[in-house]
């Protein structure tokens, strides 16, 4: 390529696009952080708690988006990975009562679990991978009751938490913790995905053979994707432990794993905005369904209505708009 | 030794059910290249239908027939309304749609019947015959073997001896050529789903009384065991599914007998990991072209 051609190629990308690409992940994160702080001061405690829950869900859906959306690996076992993080957090917290250390421990242990599962997962595709991770998701209660001296079976563990500093109410403190986790996660993921790693992920997803021919280490990329998303799930699990101030197998059923997949599919596969949409839906839909159940006076509707709504939305979105809600919005924007 | 013999027979009886369930998975996989992750939930729905019918009429066998018939209809409905429209460009899509079905079925069952465990009656007693002081089989185990054996033989005859079976195999193997030769490929696919769902319902009817009881999520763990059975055998192989089912049943029986029932799901996970790491396509799979 001659000098002139190079200059022409560089000029073809408008300056503003290049600059926006560099700044892009940071700006919405800062705006998001300000928005969360503002909301925590205006919302009543229960809404703060819901906001915190959205943050915790966002942490795991963002990681799952990278794994499933960008790398094409479907995991039904992220509920179990969250349980790993939550139990690690509870155990370390109850022993040393040092929150930052417990968070780090939760992430490290879950990352390790992610390496083990990821090594197996990298060799599998499609239904085989889904089946293996499904088995991981189902195994949580049996682990907690087999080692019941440590995990206390179905009863679970309560989590000792330091009181929030100063006069900050608990719910606001939880919202801050969860959203710090979520925004740090999303910022790291957005940065990671923008570079070479993101290109490798997509290349492996679209065509493994072509990616290998182009010099991408397919196995390494797949394992790394699993490990990264496992770390996110571990952090999210720890945040769940902070939210509930207890951990038990009942908090991480198979449906949680299915909900997570549903959230990223509905939100839009492969887009972090989609992960946010999914996290909001995960909190909003059950709340709406519950109020609908309460107003109808039927106990059976509670919870179950949310399942049905989730399922119907999932099937409809998958059949009608496989790109998810984020892609619909984006296409409309483009057409204008 | 007594214990070992007892556990072996118990494992074979469990394994027969997993074999039937795995066979249903293999049926759909061969016909449509979809692993029906909703199969467990669909089977639970059929068992609830049997529960209602038996409750209303007082006859176990009417409930049994109702469950099989409902399974057939549900299979047709699921294929005609949903699965037919799944985009097959990525294997992810089929799995995700099936997961959506799981949520719908479990939610509807929860709304109609509530989320508590319900005891289910068995048609035969479950206390074992004794031969020379050793407990071997219960009447119920014999019933399970007979039912699963009948299904396996019937399916084998259907696929190898009848024209419909030939068309179904052709439609699954080479859809385009079959269509040119006048085989109604869509109809064969629907038939495959109906048969598989009916076999799944039968497996559900057989397994639910022996597990914890009837509950919207009762089949989650059973599904994982059956999936493991299908994978151990290779998703493409009906013989593999039956063998895999018996292997998984024996493993579960020995593990829960000697190490405790809570260890069993972990043993299944371990078996799945070992098999998939060794042969990612399952033990009975034929070798495929290498990717790169």
């Amino acid at each position: 390529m001659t000098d002139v051609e190079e200059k022409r190629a560089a000029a073809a990308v408008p300056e503003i696009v290049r600059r926006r690409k560099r700044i892009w992940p940071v700006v919405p994160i800062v705006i998001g952080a300000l928005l969360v702080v503002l909301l925590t001061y205006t919302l009543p405690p229960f809404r703060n708690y819901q906001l915190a829950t959205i943050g915790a869900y966002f942490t795991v859906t963002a990681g799952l988006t990278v794994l499933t959306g960008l790398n094409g690996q479907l995991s039904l076992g992220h509920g179990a990975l969250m349980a790993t993080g939550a139990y690690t957090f509870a155990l370390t917290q109850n022993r040393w009562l040092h929150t930052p250390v417990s968070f780090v421990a939760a992430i490290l242990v879950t990352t390790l679990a992610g390496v083990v599962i990821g090594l197996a997962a990298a060799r599998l595709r499609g239904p085989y991978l889904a089946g293996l991770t499904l088995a991981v998701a189902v195994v949580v209660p049996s682990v907690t009751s087999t080692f019941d001296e440590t995990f206390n079976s179905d009863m679970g563990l309560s989590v000792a938490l330091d009181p929030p500093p100063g006069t900050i109410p608990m719910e606001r403190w939880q919202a801050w913790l969860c959203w710090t986790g979520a925004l740090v996660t999303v910022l790291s993921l957005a940065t990671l995905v923008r570079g070479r790693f993101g290109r490798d992920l997509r290349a492996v997803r679209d065509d493994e053979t072509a990616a290998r021919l182009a010099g991408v280490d397919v196995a390494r990329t797949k394992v790394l994707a699993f490990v990264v998303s496992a770390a996110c799930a571990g952090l999210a699990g720890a945040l769940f432990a902070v939210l509930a101030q207890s951990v038990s197998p009942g908090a991480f059923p198979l449906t949680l794993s299915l909900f997570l997949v549903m959230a990223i599919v509905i939100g839009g596969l492969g887009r972090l905005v989609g992960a946010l949409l999914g996290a909001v839906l995960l909190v909003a839909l059950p709340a709406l369904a519950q109020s609908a159940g309460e107003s109808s006076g039927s106990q059976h509707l509670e919870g179950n209505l949310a399942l049905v709504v989730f399922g119907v939305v999932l099937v409809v979105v998958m059949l009608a708009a496989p790109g998810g809600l984020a892609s619909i919005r984006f296409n409309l924007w483009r057409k204008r | 030794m007594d214990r070992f013999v007892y556990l072996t027979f118990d494992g074979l009886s469990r394994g027969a059910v997993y074999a039937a369930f795995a066979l249903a998975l293999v049926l759909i996989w061969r016909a449509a290249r979809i692993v029906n992750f909703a199969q467990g939930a669909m089977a639970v729905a059929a068992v609830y239908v049997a529960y209602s019918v038996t409750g209303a009429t007082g006859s176990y066998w009417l409930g049994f027939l109702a469950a099989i018939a409902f399974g057939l209809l549900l299979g047709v409905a699921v294929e005609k309304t949903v699965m037919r429209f799944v985009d097959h460009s990525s294997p992810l899509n089929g799995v995700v749609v099936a997961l959506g079905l799981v949520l719908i079925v479990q939610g509807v069952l929860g709304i109609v019947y509530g989320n508590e465990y319900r005891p289910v009656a068995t048609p035969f007693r479950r206390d074992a015959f004794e031969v020379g002081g050793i407990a071997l089989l219960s009447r119920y185990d014999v019933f399970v073997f007979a039912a699963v054996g009948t299904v396996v033989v019937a399916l084998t005859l259907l696929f190898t001896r009848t024209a419909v079976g030939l068309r179904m195999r052709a439609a699954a193997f080479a859809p385009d050529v079959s269509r040119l030769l006048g085989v109604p490929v869509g109809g064969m696919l629907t038939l495959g789903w109906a048969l598989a769902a009916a076999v799944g319902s039968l497996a559900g009817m057989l397994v639910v009384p022996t597990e914890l009881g009837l509950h919207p999520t009762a089949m989650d763990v059973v599904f994982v065991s059956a999936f493991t059975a299908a994978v151990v055998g290779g998703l493409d192989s009906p013989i593999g599914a039956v063998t895999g089912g018996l292997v998984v049943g024996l493993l579960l029986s020995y593990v829960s007998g000697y190490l405790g029932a809570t260890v069993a799901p972990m043993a299944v996970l371990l078996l799945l990991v070992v098999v998939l790491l060794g042969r990612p396509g399952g033990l009975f799979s034929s070798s495929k072209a290498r990717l790169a």
Side-chain angles (χ1 to χ4, degrees):
Chain A
M1 204 186 261
T2 64
D3 276 14
V4 180
E5 275 175 11
E6 252 173 46
K7 269 181 201 153
R8 232 181 248 157
V13 182
E15 179 67 16
I16 181 118
V17 172
R18 268 188 293 164
R19 198 185 298 154
R20 217 181 61 181
K21 263 199 160 171
R22 262 203 310 279
I23 309 169
W24 179 240
V26 180
V27 174
I29 298 289
V30 172
I31 296 175
L34 289 175
L35 197 65
V36 166
V37 171
L38 193 71
L39 280 174
T40 53
Y41 276 102
T42 50
L43 292 175
F46 178 64
R47 297 288 165 203
N48 262 332
Y49 182 80
Q50 287 186 317
L51 184 68
T53 315
I54 293 177
Y57 274 127
F58 190 20
T59 311
V60 58
T61 51
L64 198 57
T65 291
V66 169
L67 180 72
T68 306
L70 294 182
N71 196 221
Q73 300 189 68
L74 179 62
S75 168
L76 308 180
H78 267 53
L81 289 170
M82 286 176 70
T84 311
Y87 272 101
T88 312
F89 181 86
L91 291 171
T92 44
Q93 185 68 6
N94 289 349
R95 174 163 282 227
W96 288 295
L97 203 66
H98 193 292
T99 316
V101 170
S102 306
F103 271 117
V104 173
I107 295 173
L108 284 181
V109 171
T110 315
T111 307
L112 204 66
V115 173
V116 175
I117 305 173
L119 280 173
R123 298 169 55 106
L124 306 171
R125 48 180 68 78
Y128 291 101
L129 176 59
L132 178 69
T133 50
L134 180 74
V136 174
V138 172
V139 98
V140 174
S142 95
V143 172
T144 59
S145 36
T146 307
F147 305 101
D148 61 343
E149 288 110 24
T150 319
F151 300 121
N152 196 19
S153 300
D154 290 345
M155 303 293 290
L157 308 166
S158 61
V159 179
L161 276 182
D162 298 315
T167 54
I168 305 170
M170 193 61 190
E171 285 82 8
R172 190 177 297 161
W173 178 238
Q174 286 171 327
W176 287 359
L177 279 179
C178 288
W179 276 93
T180 309
L183 293 177
V184 168
T185 304
V186 171
L187 183 61
S188 333
L189 288 176
T191 318
L192 200 63
V193 161
R194 258 150 210 282
R196 185 193 162 124
F197 181 57
R199 277 198 308 280
D200 287 358
L201 286 179
R202 284 184 287 267
V204 169
R205 173 194 62 187
D206 292 338
D207 189 336
E208 279 191 24
T209 314
R212 196 165 298 169
L213 287 172
V216 176
D217 187 337
V218 171
R220 190 170 151 272
T221 308
K222 279 183 152 185
V223 176
L224 214 55
F226 210 101
V227 170
V228 166
S229 80
C232 299
L235 176 58
L239 292 173
F240 262 59
V242 168
L243 277 173
Q245 297 179 37
S246 70
V247 288
S248 65
F252 305 95
L254 176 62
T255 35
L256 173 65
S257 297
L258 301 191
F259 277 9
L260 295 176
V261 173
M262 183 225 70
I264 60 163
V265 169
I266 291 179
L269 272 178
R271 313 176 99 246
L272 290 172
V273 181
L276 178 60
L277 277 176
V280 173
L281 283 178
L282 279 182
V283 175
L285 274 182
L288 286 177
Q290 192 179 359
S291 59
E294 271 166 13
S295 63
S296 77
S298 161
Q299 284 186 336
H300 287 178
L301 275 180
E302 260 177 53
N304 289 319
L305 189 60
L307 285 185
V308 177
V309 172
F310 273 146
V312 170
V313 174
L314 187 57
V315 171
V316 170
V317 167
M318 208 61 212
L319 295 184
L325 296 182
S327 77
I328 295 173
R329 190 186 57 93
F330 192 64
N331 287 342
L332 287 178
W333 188 259
R334 240 186 208 166
K335 271 178 206 156
R336 241 177 249 162
Chain B
M1 193 58 206
D2 295 6
R3 190 163 172 70
F4 180 79
V5 172
Y6 170 73
L7 288 177
T8 306
F9 277 100
D10 181 53
L12 289 175
S13 156
R14 282 180 182 213
V17 177
Y18 296 142
F21 213 68
L23 206 56
L25 282 176
V26 168
L27 272 178
I28 293 180
W29 172 256
R30 279 165 66 105
R33 294 286 130 176
I34 287 176
V35 170
N36 182 17
F37 278 85
Q39 196 174 317
M42 287 162 67
V44 174
V47 180
Y48 268 109
V49 168
Y51 176 83
S52 292
V53 171
T54 303
T57 61
S59 157
Y60 174 88
W61 296 108
L62 275 181
F64 189 85
L65 288 178
I68 306 296
F70 179 78
L72 277 168
L73 290 178
L74 190 60
V76 172
V78 163
E79 200 279 329
K80 285 215 173 223
T81 57
V82 180
M83 286 302 175
R84 173 162 295 194
F85 305 104
V86 173
D87 169 21
H88 284 289
S89 57
S90 153
L92 211 98
N93 298 353
V95 177
V96 171
V97 169
L99 295 179
L101 285 178
V102 172
L103 294 178
I104 296 175
V105 172
Q106 290 186 349
V108 169
L109 289 176
I111 290 173
V112 177
Y113 291 96
N115 280 14
E116 62 269 22
Y117 283 93
R118 287 162 191 268
V120 186
T122 53
F124 302 101
R125 287 217 308 276
R126 293 194 56 210
D127 42 345
F129 296 118
E130 291 194 5
V131 177
I134 303 174
L136 289 181
L137 282 171
S138 67
R139 288 166 205 272
Y140 188 70
D141 290 336
V142 176
F143 169 57
V144 168
F145 285 130
V148 174
T150 311
V151 166
V152 171
V153 171
L155 284 180
T156 313
L157 288 179
L158 173 72
F159 277 104
T160 54
R161 293 274 188 275
T162 68
V164 175
L166 183 64
R167 288 200 194 104
M168 285 179 76
R169 281 188 293 152
F173 186 70
D176 293 336
V177 178
S178 311
R179 200 169 282 125
L180 286 175
L181 292 173
V183 174
V185 173
M188 291 300 125
L189 197 57
T190 313
L191 183 60
W193 271 85
L195 281 179
V199 174
S201 304
L202 171 74
M205 285 301 292
L206 296 177
V207 77
V208 166
T210 63
E211 303 278 328
L212 276 168
L214 193 50
H215 185 264
T217 62
M219 294 291 275
D220 285 358
V221 178
V222 177
F223 177 82
V224 172
S225 302
F227 177 81
T228 308
V231 166
V232 166
L235 273 175
D236 257 321
S237 159
I239 303 164
V242 174
T243 321
L246 295 178
V247 168
V248 171
L250 285 173
L251 174 83
L252 279 181
S253 179
Y254 293 142
V255 168
S256 30
Y258 290 117
L259 300 175
T262 59
V263 192
M266 283 189 272
V268 171
L269 176 63
L270 195 67
L271 176 70
L272 191 59
V273 170
V274 169
V275 170
L276 283 178
L277 285 185
R279 291 199 56 149
L283 292 181
F284 286 66
S285 66
S286 46
S287 58
K288 272 201 297 191
R290 36 181 311 196
L291 258 167

